[in-house]
Amino acid sequence: DLVRKIEKLEKEDLKEEKKKLLLYEVVSKLKEGEPCPICGRPLEKIPHLNFEGDIKTKWKELEEKERVVEELREKYQVLKGKLENLEKQ
């Protein structure tokens, strides 16, 4: 079903975007000499991430995208139900 394929792609894109935001948040809080949150060894160098924009704004944008996807999914279900009812008539 085409709609499900589109939903899956959008869901995966949103998951990827969320991962990037979480990674940026973690990396932005790292300090040289402090323990790595993953392996526990002292950090010698902080990784550089290419990230443009304000993290809070990016989270709000992601939340809005997730809300729109959910809203579209709900509308799709309603329309699908109506179509099934029409087909039964």
Side-chain angles (χ1 to χ4, degrees), residues 1-13 69 72-73:
D1 172 54
L2 180 60
V3 175
R4 295 213 187 279
K5 288 179 183 178
I6 292 170
E7 271 185 359
K8 182 181 177 195
L9 286 173
E10 287 188 332
K11 199 74 163 157
E12 288 179 10
D13 287 346
V69 167
L72 289 172
R73 184 178 294 113

Side-chain angles (χ1 to χ4, degrees), residues 6-86:
I6 292 170
E7 271 185 359
K8 182 181 177 195
L9 286 173
E10 287 188 332
K11 199 74 163 157
E12 288 179 10
D13 287 346
L14 292 175
K15 282 182 183 179
E16 190 63 31
E17 193 171 336
K18 187 179 277 188
K19 284 181 197 175
K20 287 179 183 178
L21 289 172
L22 289 168
L23 181 61
Y24 178 77
E25 279 192 349
V26 169
V27 169
S28 69
K29 294 174 184 176
L30 297 176
K31 294 186 176 39
E32 285 186 27
E34 289 188 358
C36 170
I38 295 170
C39 69
R41 291 186 299 188
L43 291 166
E44 295 177 15
K45 183 179 176 184
I46 307 302
H48 175 72
L49 298 177
N50 282 336
F51 186 83
E52 295 180 14
D54 175 60
I55 189 76
K56 288 181 183 178
T57 302
K58 296 288 186 184
W59 275 114
K60 286 179 184 176
E61 290 170 357
L62 178 63
E63 289 169 0
E64 178 63 14
K65 289 176 186 177
E66 290 175 328
R67 187 192 65 73
V68 168
V69 167
E70 185 59 33
E71 186 178 299
L72 289 172
R73 184 178 294 113
E74 289 171 6
K75 287 181 181 180
Y76 167 74
Q77 291 300 326
V78 168
L79 291 173
K80 183 179 173 186
K82 288 180 178 181
L83 180 60
E84 289 170 356
N85 285 337
L86 287 172

